[in-house]
Amino acid sequence: MDIFEEINVKGFMEEAIDPTLDLFAEIEKLKKQKNAVILAHYYQDGDIQDIADYIGDSLGLSQQAAKTDADIIVFAGVHFMAETAKILSPGKKVLLPDVKAGCSLADSCPPHLFKKFKEQYPDHLVITYVNCTAELKALSDIVCTSSNAVQIVESLPKDQKIIFGPDKNLGAYVAKKTGRDLVLWNGACMVHEIFSREKITRLKERHQGVKLLAHPECEEVILEMADYIGSTTGILKYATNSPDKEFIVATESGILHQMQKENPDKTFIPAPPNNNCACNDCPHMKRNTLEKLYLCLKNELPEVTVPEHIIKDAVKPIERMLVISAQLGL
Ligand code: 13P
Ligand code: SF4
């Protein structure tokens, strides 16, 4: 972002909004006027999920970003997601309500260090979890998400040597599921590393028979206790299709909005963290608000761009993932 863009971004974020304005109606109006589409991740605020044209996990969001015919994509998510949308639809304007919505997992893998790491394993194929920067994707052979990581690894020959990054927890889970020996980058997500095994054990004792649904970004000690492990879409589908009435959910709290909406008769208990704060909220995801979404659509800022040479290299591993996913019916 250059200095002029920064000034624009700052100026627009400070713009006052008439408190009597019906933001839902205004956003709908702007969306039609500008032929824009709103793609939202399940970790967004309930209001944002409710106004989105599509809500989904990272795989679903990438698939939507690749096929939309809108002129503008408003990405209600974090920076790497908006970048992925831009890489898949370079001709479209991609907006992110708060340009500072980053990701601790993406930050845990600086591309220049990963490049050196990769050089130590010249005969390895690089699979990267989509939660990483565009620059990192450009250094990869195949991208994956939490809903297809196992299948992507399994689609490769058994003797294929693989580096998996940046999430060590997802990587360890995939290694265990596939029986492959993966070389892991030591990255992690701050939200999924916070859950307390002791507190979950006590909760399970108090609620006999309640199932633990966990995201594979959680640490192994949590995944060992889980009754179901999957992406946000997987967790939502599992809870909806299950005859059970009560669940403990070990992932970011935003998913509870859809879970509750689709299952008003069921109870969802957020998995307790190690300390007493509201740590299952992702501070990056939660930077986006309905107000910022409105201003972003109105001013068409902040815009997320990706340098052309990065798009050229990053699009191949993402498209490879989309092709394998389509072949597998994911
Ligand atoms: P999924 O929705 O693909 O499971 O991703 C979880 C996540 O951490 C996104 O930031
Ligand atoms: Fe990144 Fe974790 Fe937030 Fe997802 S939940 S955006 S992985 S910090």
Side-chain angles (χ1 to χ4, degrees):
M1 187 166 49
D2 68 38
I3 184 74
F4 297 106
E5 278 175 308
E6 254 182 69
I7 290 166
N8 276 341
V9 168
K10 194 165 178 286
F12 114 85
M13 282 177 84
E14 284 169 1
E15 188 179 323
I17 301 177
D18 174 358
T20 63
L21 209 59
D22 177 349
L23 290 180
F24 284 94
E26 291 303 315
I27 291 171
E28 285 298 347
K29 215 180 343 176
L30 286 168
K31 233 168 54 177
K32 282 200 190 86
Q33 264 171 25
K34 299 185 181 222
N35 187 29
V37 67
I38 300 175
L39 307 183
H41 189 267
Y42 285 124
Y43 295 164
Q44 291 294 286
D45 260 1
D47 278 350
I48 296 182
Q49 293 190 37
D50 290 344
I51 195 136
D53 297 290
Y54 177 83
I55 326 164
D57 67 358
S58 303
L59 177 61
L61 289 164
S62 310
Q63 288 164 333
Q64 291 296 319
K67 71 176 186 200
T68 182
D69 53 12
D71 295 318
I72 296 178
I73 298 174
V74 183
F75 215 112
V78 290
H79 198 268
F80 75 79
M81 295 179 169
E83 275 185 342
T84 306
K86 184 69 187 175
I87 294 165
L88 287 168
S89 291
K92 300 189 191 309
K93 190 178 260 189
V94 177
L95 307 172
L96 181 64
D98 189 321
V99 80
K100 289 188 184 147
C103 169
S104 66
L105 178 52
D107 290 347
S108 70
C109 194
H112 68 286
L113 296 182
F114 188 81
K115 193 163 180 273
K116 284 205 180 112
F117 177 73
K118 176 183 154 169
E119 279 161 13
Q120 294 170 42
Y121 305 95
D123 54 349
H124 284 53
L125 198 96
V126 177
I127 303 185
T128 49
Y129 186 33
V130 71
N131 296 29
C132 66
T133 60
E135 228 178 316
L136 205 80
K137 290 182 178 81
L139 295 171
S140 314
D141 296 297
I142 317 181
V143 165
C144 71
T145 74
S146 55
S147 55
N148 59 20
V150 168
Q151 292 89 334
I152 297 243
V153 169
E154 276 172 346
S155 74
L156 301 169
K158 275 215 155 39
D159 57 352
Q160 175 63 59
K161 293 178 180 162
I162 300 168
I163 295 177
F164 189 96
D167 189 359
K168 64 175 179 196
N169 294 318
L170 175 65
Y173 168 71
V174 173
K176 200 170 166 183
K177 285 287 276 187
T178 59
R180 309 268 182 124
D181 189 17
L182 308 179
V183 174
L184 303 181
W185 176 265
N186 187 20
C189 156
M190 62 191 275
V191 181
H192 289 89
E193 286 219 310
I194 204 81
F195 300 116
S196 158
R197 182 167 64 147
E198 291 71 25
K199 288 185 189 170
I200 294 175
T201 305
R202 283 203 291 275
L203 200 55
K204 275 186 152 242
E205 272 163 21
R206 283 207 306 278
H207 300 255
Q208 286 294 317
V210 68
K211 290 204 169 72
L212 171 68
L213 316 182
H215 194 279
E217 284 177 31
C218 293
E219 289 177 308
E220 196 175 359
V221 288
I222 304 297
L223 297 182
E224 276 166 358
M225 305 168 73
D227 299 283
Y228 173 78
I229 299 168
S231 75
T232 49
T233 298
I235 289 175
L236 174 64
K237 279 192 187 151
Y238 182 91
T240 304
N241 296 333
S242 166
D244 291 13
K245 294 283 177 213
E246 202 177 26
F247 305 87
I248 302 170
V249 184
T251 190
E252 210 271 353
S253 61
I255 186 69
L256 299 174
H257 179 70
Q258 277 318 306
M259 293 180 92
Q260 204 63 75
K261 221 170 144 176
E262 290 191 17
N263 303 280
D265 60 327
K266 298 185 183 179
T267 304
F268 301 104
I269 309 167
N274 279 317
N275 50 25
N276 294 324
C277 66
C279 297
N280 6 4
D281 275 357
C282 170
H284 307 289
M285 285 279 180
K286 297 307 199 249
R287 287 191 78 96
N288 296 326
T289 61
L290 198 63
E291 287 75 11
K292 287 181 194 168
L293 179 60
Y294 161 69
L295 290 177
C296 157
L297 200 45
K298 180 172 165 246
N299 298 312
E300 297 184 25
L301 278 173
E303 181 178 358
V304 171
T305 55
V306 179
E308 235 169 82
H309 69 281
I310 301 279
I311 293 187
K312 192 176 127 285
D313 290 334
V315 73
K316 292 178 215 152
I318 304 175
E319 278 176 349
R320 216 170 151 187
M321 166 187 83
L322 293 175
V323 168
I324 297 174
S325 300
Q327 283 165 350
L328 296 169
L330 299 171

